[in-house]
Amino acid sequence: MEKISFRNFTPHTIVLNDGRAFESEGVARVAASFTEFKNDVCEQTFGEITGLPEPVEGVKYIVSALVLAAAKAAGRTDVVAPATGHPACIRNEKGFIVSVPGFVY
C-alpha cells in the first residue's frame, strides 16, 4: 500500500476523529465569475485555481469543497476535502464540527 501524506491548503486546522491534525500551510482558492441575474438567479463559473501546489507523488492536498470541485474538473486527482457531510463527524455542543472521519474526493 502506498504511503500518502496530506498537506492542508484550507485556512483552518483540519482535525481527524483519530486526533491527527493538519495545520494550514496556505490557502488554495478558485476564481469565480457570474452572469447577470435573471429572475434572481445567476450562473457561476470557475476559473483559475491559485495557492495550490503542483502535484507531488504520494501527496494529497486538503482543500475546500469548492476548490475540490474546480480542481477535479481541471483533471487533478491529488486533492481532497474534509468529509464534513459524513455522519461520523464529531460536533461540539453548538453543533459545529470539531473533527471529521476523513476526506472525500
Side-chain angles (χ1 to χ4, degrees):
M1 176 186 262
E2 179 186 355
K3 174 80 170 141
I4 300 292
S5 64
F6 295 95
R7 295 183 59 200
N8 181 8
F9 285 84
T10 73
H12 311 286
T13 299
I14 302 299
V15 180
L16 297 185
N17 291 356
D18 66 9
R20 286 181 290 160
F22 302 92
E23 299 292 330
S24 177
E25 297 183 43
V27 180
R29 299 197 185 281
V30 61
S33 60
F34 303 88
T35 62
E36 294 293 321
F37 280 96
K38 184 174 183 177
N39 295 322
D40 297 323
V41 178
C42 71
E43 182 179 357
Q44 179 180 11
T45 56
F46 301 110
E48 180 183 5
I49 299 169
T50 58
L52 183 61
E54 291 297 317
V56 173
E57 189 172 331
V59 175
K60 296 286 186 189
Y61 297 103
I62 305 166
V63 297
S64 69
L66 190 63
V67 173
L68 173 65
K72 282 177 70 172
R76 295 281 298 253
T77 59
D78 60 335
V79 289
V80 296
T84 57
H86 196 280
C89 287
I90 296 175
R91 296 176 181 271
N92 67 15
E93 63 281 347
K94 294 183 179 182
F96 295 112
I97 294 172
V98 295
S99 68
V100 296
F103 304 106
V104 296
Y105 171 72

